[in-house]
Amino acid sequence: MYTALLVVLSAVVPGVSEALLTETEQSWIEAMPDFALRTEYHPEVRRPLQYRGFSFGGPREELKAMRDAGANAVGEGATWHPVRDPKAPFGLGIERPASDEPLTLEFETDFAFDGFAPALATYQSTDSGCSWTLYGAASPGEWQELAAGTWEIVEDNSYPEARFEEQPPGTYRFTIHSATGSHISWWTQPIEAFSDFRAFQGDDELSHGRFECRIRRDGAWEPLVPSDEPHFPVNLGPSGFERLAQLSMVASHQVGNWNNPGFTYYPEWFLEEHPEVLVLDHEGEPIMGGGMFAREVPSPNIASDVIVDGTRRYLQAHAEAYRDMPSLLYYVLGGESLYATYSYPDRWTDYSQNALAHFRAWLGARRYDDINALNEAWGTDFAHFDDVEPPRSPDTDQRWLDWLDHRFEAMGERIGWHYQALREVDPDRMGFTCNHGSLYHGTKYAAMGARIEIYASQSDGFETGQIMIDGDPEYYNLLYVDSLLSMGKPYAPVRLAYKKSNPEARGGGTSYTPEAVRRYGYESLGAGAWQLGFIQWSGSLPDGEWGVVGTPAEDAIREF
């Protein structure tokens, strides 16, 4: 629900607002601080391009290369992926932030074995390793070390093998610890499939997963906890912010959830178990997304209780873990925010029951004194606000304008509860909105739902990811920046992108040219941008080849 709005409404229309709130939402509101949003420029924002580098971090060796190219900042990101956890609200858990605490799988066998192999991920880094230890149950609650070793280099998505003397049937613990290099994680299966095992991060048992692994008996390797989709990684070792601090670098932290249909990442089981989260178009049909991940699944809406609750807990877990990190510059409030209409311009959204309930509540609490006032403005004869139907196609009448205004405020509300959740735990660090896409072509502004003045009222500044194409004949970058800076808040184009058209390239284009580096770099400097991140050091996506390493643009960035 629109919790921030209802905080205000509870004092104005108590009967209406209380009826709209669930018990969970009422508890959130009671815990919320006052709306102490800071304005104007902040003491932390010292000078234009105080921080510059690339849009995304990476393995340690890549971070070193970026630093050598003149970078002192990157962008980091963490998205709430629902995982089953019967002990958590809605039965959904949150993945834990990275930690130096050991990862342990406790298991029991009725056979002898002489090897164990965990399923580890290194995110394509080539310098990552860790140590391992095998323990046996000496007595209830007591564990005896049986074998230990170290893997200097672990390959991505591999099963490094720990070999030792044959062990008899019994209860054991296998632990990985003392991570080295860039990044290492243990792939994890949802708990319901493997409840006979126990998994730990440090001394805390994981209630939502079991680590994937193989075991060796009779001279052959066999699955103990098989690897299968969906699975998720639990990180071992220092966080990305600790690694950045070691390199004298900093990062923004994009954290929360995304509702960009191109990047739909929610697992299929979650969408099936919670059909209320599906965004629906004007004909009541779901919007299928996930193309950037080579999948096709329904897109989620922006304010379902289950998504708000899980995201809020995830935000606060990250703020709790990283709030003392000096290398964390500021939070970016969620991922790319837009209605699916932006990507599917002939399909207006969202007409899910969740969205319609919010619209009707908004009309009665914010827009009209009573249903008669609405009917007079709309030329309708609804008996109650609960009967109101929104328009299903664009028009120029008051009914359509009210629908668009509601969408703008709903998207601002999404930003607001991200901001409030983080401030409850980390009140001293800034939170910027996540902005992208064009606002100046056709119906894009209304389709996206991004009203800049509302975003400014719910945050401390703007983090952006605009894409300039070829010669940018419309001066889109300058037009966009001018719109944002009119709000008097800090501006950080962390995901600044350029695309040179090339039909033979993946996604139809390549990244920066030397000319584009100089143009958009100096435009950002002149605008007063605080942090600049060129997209991107390496890699590509289905929408373009974005990497600059090894291209002429890399030399231009070094000279910039």
Side-chain angles (χ1 to χ4, degrees):
M1 300 294 280
Y2 299 152
T3 49
L5 168 62
L6 290 171
V7 171
V8 178
L9 294 180
S10 61
V12 180
V13 198
V16 173
S17 60
E18 289 173 7
L20 295 173
L21 293 174
T22 66
E23 183 177 342
T24 299
E25 291 164 344
Q26 290 178 19
S27 68
W28 292 348
I29 287 176
E30 292 171 0
M32 278 187 178
D34 294 334
F35 287 97
L37 295 175
R38 297 158 291 184
T39 59
E40 302 302 330
Y41 281 81
H42 300 260
E44 297 96 326
V45 183
R46 301 295 184 187
R47 54 184 170 80
L49 300 199
Q50 180 181 359
Y51 298 105
R52 72 177 186 88
F54 298 90
S55 298
F56 309 109
R60 184 179 179 87
E61 58 264 36
E62 286 202 5
L63 289 171
K64 287 181 177 179
M66 295 180 206
R67 186 190 60 184
D68 292 343
N72 64 356
V74 294
E76 290 285 339
T79 303
W80 175 60
H81 290 71
V83 293
R84 286 190 172 100
D85 183 354
K87 298 180 181 179
F90 296 98
L92 298 174
I94 58 173
E95 300 172 22
R96 296 183 177 215
S99 168
D100 279 321
E101 296 179 304
L103 303 180
T104 299
L105 183 70
E106 183 179 314
F107 59 96
E108 185 175 351
T109 71
D110 57 5
F111 53 84
F113 66 100
D114 63 358
F116 188 96
L120 303 184
T122 66
Y123 303 87
Q124 300 182 354
S125 64
T126 59
D127 64 342
S128 298
C130 65
S131 297
W132 61 268
T133 305
L134 177 70
Y135 299 92
S139 61
E142 297 292 331
W143 298 92
Q144 176 184 359
E145 180 178 324
L146 302 175
T150 297
W151 296 306
E152 297 292 342
I153 301 295
V154 173
E155 293 185 8
D156 194 20
N157 298 320
S158 68
Y159 287 85
E161 298 177 359
R163 298 290 298 275
F164 34 77
E165 293 184 1
E166 185 174 84
Q167 303 297 322
T171 302
Y172 297 88
R173 281 188 166 186
F174 189 87
T175 297
I176 62 171
H177 54 91
S178 306
T180 57
S182 296
H183 200 143
I184 197 162
S185 300
W186 196 342
W187 282 111
T188 311
Q189 278 291 310
I191 183 174
E192 68 274 5
F194 302 97
S195 57
D196 293 340
F197 303 92
R198 301 177 71 192
F200 297 85
Q201 186 177 43
D203 294 329
D204 297 329
E205 183 172 358
L206 299 183
S207 58
H208 60 287
R210 300 293 180 258
F211 296 126
E212 297 174 356
C213 57
R214 295 172 180 168
I215 198 164
R216 189 176 187 272
R217 68 166 170 170
D218 298 330
W221 291 95
E222 61 183 51
L224 186 65
V225 178
S227 177
D228 193 15
E229 296 284 354
H231 60 177
F232 58 93
V234 175
N235 296 324
L236 172 70
S239 70
F241 300 105
E242 291 171 297
R243 291 191 172 97
L244 287 168
Q246 295 168 3
L247 297 172
S248 300
M249 298 174 73
V250 298
S252 58
H253 188 28
Q254 186 179 90
V255 61
N257 68 52
W258 281 14
N259 66 300
N260 180 336
F263 292 88
T264 301
Y265 54 82
Y266 290 87
E268 284 83 348
W269 62 262
F270 171 79
L271 299 170
E272 291 170 359
E273 293 181 9
H274 296 279
E276 75 277 8
V277 310
L278 304 188
V279 63
L280 302 179
D281 69 9
H282 59 289
E283 294 182 350
E285 297 297 323
I287 297 286
M288 306 304 288
M292 290 293 183
F293 300 135
R295 62 202 294 254
E296 187 176 64
V297 293
S299 298
N301 58 44
I302 62 174
S304 293
D305 285 357
V306 63
I307 289 179
V308 173
D309 176 80
T311 304
R312 184 176 185 274
R313 286 185 283 119
Y314 188 68
L315 289 164
Q316 296 196 330
H318 274 251
E320 182 73 34
Y322 301 146
R323 63 185 175 187
D324 295 326
M325 301 287 179
S327 54
L328 197 169
L329 275 186
Y330 57 90
Y331 298 108
V332 181
L333 307 171
E336 297 172 341
S337 309
L338 75 162
Y339 283 97
T341 303
Y342 186 83
S343 301
Y344 304 91
D346 297 326
R347 304 176 68 186
W348 283 91
T349 61
D350 177 13
Y351 294 89
S352 64
Q353 288 301 311
N354 181 65
L356 295 183
H358 290 168
F359 178 54
R360 291 161 181 155
W362 178 84
L363 289 170
R366 287 272 289 190
R367 183 65 66 167
Y368 295 103
D369 292 335
D370 54 42
I371 194 65
N372 293 327
L374 178 143
N375 285 328
E376 182 177 353
W378 285 19
T380 53
D381 59 354
F382 296 114
H384 306 284
F385 282 108
D386 289 344
D387 301 327
V388 171
E389 286 294 328
R392 302 276 170 163
S393 61
D395 207 329
T396 57
D397 59 12
Q398 189 61 46
R399 188 176 185 178
W400 184 255
L401 293 176
D402 284 345
W403 174 244
L404 292 183
D405 280 345
H406 161 261
R407 287 158 45 90
F408 284 127
E409 293 199 20
M411 196 68 79
E413 175 64 17
R414 175 180 178 270
I415 296 296
W417 62 255
H418 274 71
Y419 185 88
Q420 290 290 343
L422 290 165
R423 278 182 63 84
E424 288 176 16
V425 178
D426 188 358
D428 297 323
R429 188 168 271 109
M430 293 184 294
F432 287 13
T433 58
C434 181
N435 306 270
H436 69 119
S438 172
L439 302 180
Y440 310 109
H441 292 281
T443 61
K444 292 292 189 182
Y445 174 59
M448 178 175 285
R451 182 171 286 171
I452 292 172
E453 61 270 26
I454 294 179
Y455 277 20
S457 73
Q458 297 291 335
S459 70
D460 297 313
F462 301 97
E463 184 262 16
T464 71
Q466 64 269 38
I467 303 175
M468 277 64 67
I469 299 176
D470 297 331
D472 189 21
E474 298 175 336
Y475 294 95
Y476 174 69
N477 190 46
L478 293 177
L479 180 62
Y480 189 55
V481 171
D482 187 62
S483 300
L484 297 178
L485 291 178
S486 68
M487 297 293 105
K489 296 206 170 186
Y491 163 63
V494 179
R495 295 169 292 110
L496 190 71
Y498 173 79
K499 187 172 185 175
K500 182 175 177 60
S501 297
N502 181 350
E504 297 181 359
R506 184 186 185 196
T510 57
S511 191
Y512 284 93
T513 63
E515 295 77 15
V517 166
R518 289 187 283 271
R519 174 174 175 179
Y520 300 113
Y522 282 112
E523 284 185 1
S524 298
L525 174 66
W530 181 41
Q531 180 188 357
L532 165 66
F534 293 106
I535 282 188
Q536 64 195 44
W537 179 251
S538 65
S540 65
L541 285 171
D543 59 349
E545 296 179 359
W546 300 108
V548 300
V549 63
T551 74
E554 180 185 347
D555 293 335
I557 289 172
R558 290 177 182 275
E559 296 168 1
F560 176 70

